[in-house]
Amino acid sequence: MIRVVIGVVLALHGLVHLWFVALALRLVTFRPEMGWSGRSWLLTPLLGDAATRSTAAVLLSAAAAAFVVGGLALAGPAAWWRPALVFAASLSTVVLLVTWDGGTDLIVQKGAIGVAINVAVLVLLAR
């Protein structure tokens, strides 16, 4: 039963990534209190705004899908849940760090809790 609960929680964590996809694709009207502006400290100077948002949308969608698949595999249980979740947490962390806008205001809304969850998942999976 605990595998099912943890798997569902991880799948839901993956679905939260879709909020950042919605922001990246401008599916919602951005307001500063929403957090991530669509700018990246690393990618925006190299790629520009539109390409940064597109790249973020693709990579965050992949992380979301990997978390959903990995979480469901854990709940399943499928034998390959562990590598799926390691991939999901690693990809999510890298994308959130690379696409962070560099500001410390609204850090929670910009993904700090997501990074913390990802790190916890990676630590627990490394045991």
Side-chain angles (χ1 to χ4, degrees):
M1 180 62 158
I2 191 73
R3 288 175 67 108
V4 171
V5 171
I6 293 171
V8 168
V9 167
L10 290 172
L12 292 173
H13 173 60
L15 292 177
V16 171
H17 289 69
L18 298 181
W19 172 247
F20 290 96
V21 173
L23 288 173
L25 296 177
R26 302 281 165 102
L27 299 177
V28 295
T29 303
F30 176 76
R31 293 189 318 264
E33 64 271 13
M34 290 177 166
W36 186 57
S37 64
R39 295 190 51 81
S40 162
W41 66 274
L42 178 63
L43 298 179
T44 300
L46 298 172
L47 304 175
D49 285 335
T52 295
R53 288 194 316 274
S54 295
T55 301
V58 169
L59 294 175
L60 288 166
S61 294
F67 263 118
V68 170
V69 169
L72 295 177
L74 173 60
W80 44 267
W81 63 269
R82 188 178 299 268
L85 290 173
V86 168
F87 172 76
S90 300
L91 177 61
S92 173
T93 300
V94 168
V95 173
L96 289 172
L97 293 176
V98 167
T99 60
W100 174 48
D101 65 8
T104 56
D105 57 316
L106 300 171
I107 195 78
V108 169
Q109 292 87 335
K110 293 177 182 178
I113 290 177
V115 171
I117 292 169
N118 294 340
V119 170
V121 167
L122 291 170
V123 168
L124 291 171
L125 291 176
R127 297 173 84 196

